[in-house]
Amino acid sequence: MAIVDAKEMLIKATEENYAVGAFNITNLIQMEAVVDTAVRMKAPLIIQTSVTPSKFLNAKVLANIYKTMAESAPIPICLHLDHCTDVEYCKTCADAGYTNIMIDASKQDFKNNIRQTREVSDYCHGIGGISVEGELGTVSGVEDQIKVAQDEAALCDPEQALEFVAKTRIDIFAPAIGTAHGVYKTKNPKLDFDRMEKIFKLINGKGVKMPLVVHGGTGLQPDVVKRLVSLGGSKFNVSTDLKHVLIDATYGYITSHREEYNPGKIDIAVREAIMAKIEYWIDLLGSAGKA
Ligand SMILES: [Zn+2]
């Protein structure tokens, strides 16, 4: 039985200095490709959905497919709701069977962010078996329907971070350190590594209590990814990269087989492309063989 929440999986990752890939999926083909690759590589896994696909496919349907896959998988797998700004929908997904919930109240003021995040923490912990991710500071770019301009994105204040994690009782923490959603406009985006290090030391200096999350993995250079992992990032979110693979592989197959009407073959092409991409990320994050 490999249905787990994210906390324990990520504490182990932090202590052993690797990161777990948290891969956004929008359909069943992607979900199976992600799970099969992680199983083959013996890597712990976080499957994520943002709110739109979760509503489109139905949270209960998704959670039940996840349960069926995870129960028979020999690796720990967590189902995570990504960037949900709506407290009530966080609760809906917790009830449906998601095992990690991200309440993203990072656009609210500090007090309201704490209040909303705490409400979701209390609710999920009341059910049991569900961990909660909160965010402080904002990640620029577009994720699902949430848009944050780069000049509006505020980095996480380390002292406030301490207060935030204590008052919200979250299990895993996403501090904004300059990463962005979508595609980076430059090859070397300005990331605040010192801030990441400071936040990690303040929160986890005396033993790992609160795993840290890195958002906006797509497009980061391999050495940057490795540096963020070495500074304590143990959940690494990858979304845009997988969307590109899905669409490019679909388009590529259809354009080169325009006379063929066999949807299963498109699925196979997409599945293979996704598996190759997931393999790249699991290798880079160092999680292969850690399950
Ligand atoms: Zn994100």
Side-chain angles (χ1 to χ4, degrees), residues 25-73:
I25 58 108
T26 51
N27 68 32
L28 181 58
I29 303 295
Q30 285 174 307
M31 199 161 164
E32 280 187 316
V34 169
V35 170
D36 288 356
T37 311
V39 167
R40 185 168 50 75
M41 298 180 80
K42 299 187 173 62
L45 172 67
I46 297 173
I47 300 168
Q48 309 196 140
T49 72
S50 53
V51 172
T52 304
S54 168
K55 285 185 174 168
F56 180 74
L57 295 168
N58 185 298
K60 263 194 181 165
V61 171
L62 266 168
N64 280 307
I65 295 172
Y66 152 72
K67 268 184 207 156
T68 306
M69 288 184 182
E71 265 169 1
S72 59

Side-chain angles (χ1 to χ4, degrees), residues 2 14 35 85 92 144 171 186 193-194 210 212 239:
T14 310
V35 170
T85 56
T92 300
D144 208 5
D171 302 284
T186 148
F193 297 106
D194 292 344
M210 180 78 50
L212 300 185
S239 175

Side-chain angles (χ1 to χ4, degrees), residues 159-262:
E159 295 299 332
Q160 273 196 334
L162 261 186
E163 187 182 344
F164 182 77
V165 299
K167 287 190 172 162
T168 55
R169 298 190 184 168
I170 51 172
D171 302 284
I172 58 179
F173 178 50
I177 49 132
T179 55
H181 293 130
V183 178
Y184 291 98
K185 290 185 184 76
T186 148
K187 222 179 162 198
N188 295 303
K190 228 179 123 210
L191 308 187
D192 196 335
F193 297 106
D194 292 344
R195 187 178 297 264
M196 178 82 173
E197 192 171 9
K198 197 169 177 192
I199 292 167
F200 184 85
K201 277 191 181 146
L202 272 174
I203 295 177
N204 293 313
K206 295 185 187 111
V208 181
K209 288 185 279 262
M210 180 78 50
L212 300 185
V213 184
V214 177
H215 283 254
T218 298
L220 294 177
Q221 296 300 305
D223 59 320
V224 171
V225 172
K226 285 189 173 163
R227 189 166 171 197
L228 288 168
V229 173
S230 77
L231 293 173
S234 63
K235 173 174 180 274
F236 222 92
N237 289 8
V238 180
S239 175
T240 304
D241 214 4
L242 301 178
K243 288 177 192 157
H244 284 205
V245 169
L246 171 72
I247 290 170
D248 289 347
T250 306
Y251 181 79
Y253 189 86
I254 291 174
T255 46
S256 58
H257 299 78
R258 195 58 201 93
E259 301 304 317
E260 188 180 275
Y261 287 88
N262 185 340

Side-chain angles (χ1 to χ4, degrees), residues 94-113:
D95 290 337
Y98 277 66
T99 59
N100 196 76
I101 302 286
M102 178 188 188
I103 166 72
D104 180 356
S106 63
K107 277 186 125 180
Q108 310 280 334
D109 61 33
F110 188 56
K111 223 174 118 192
N112 277 319
N113 188 354

Side-chain angles (χ1 to χ4, degrees), residues 74-134:
I75 56 167
I77 309 179
C78 161
L79 179 64
H80 169 84
L81 179 68
D82 200 22
H83 286 285
C84 183
T85 56
D86 175 359
V87 169
E88 289 312 308
Y89 196 69
C90 286
K91 293 179 182 175
T92 300
C93 288
D95 290 337
Y98 277 66
T99 59
N100 196 76
I101 302 286
M102 178 188 188
I103 166 72
D104 180 356
S106 63
K107 277 186 125 180
Q108 310 280 334
D109 61 33
F110 188 56
K111 223 174 118 192
N112 277 319
N113 188 354
I114 289 176
R115 187 178 54 75
Q116 291 189 8
T117 306
R118 173 66 184 268
E119 186 178 341
V120 173
S121 282
D122 287 347
Y123 188 84
C124 291
H125 295 155
I127 296 174
I130 305 173
S131 46
V132 174
E133 175 179 335

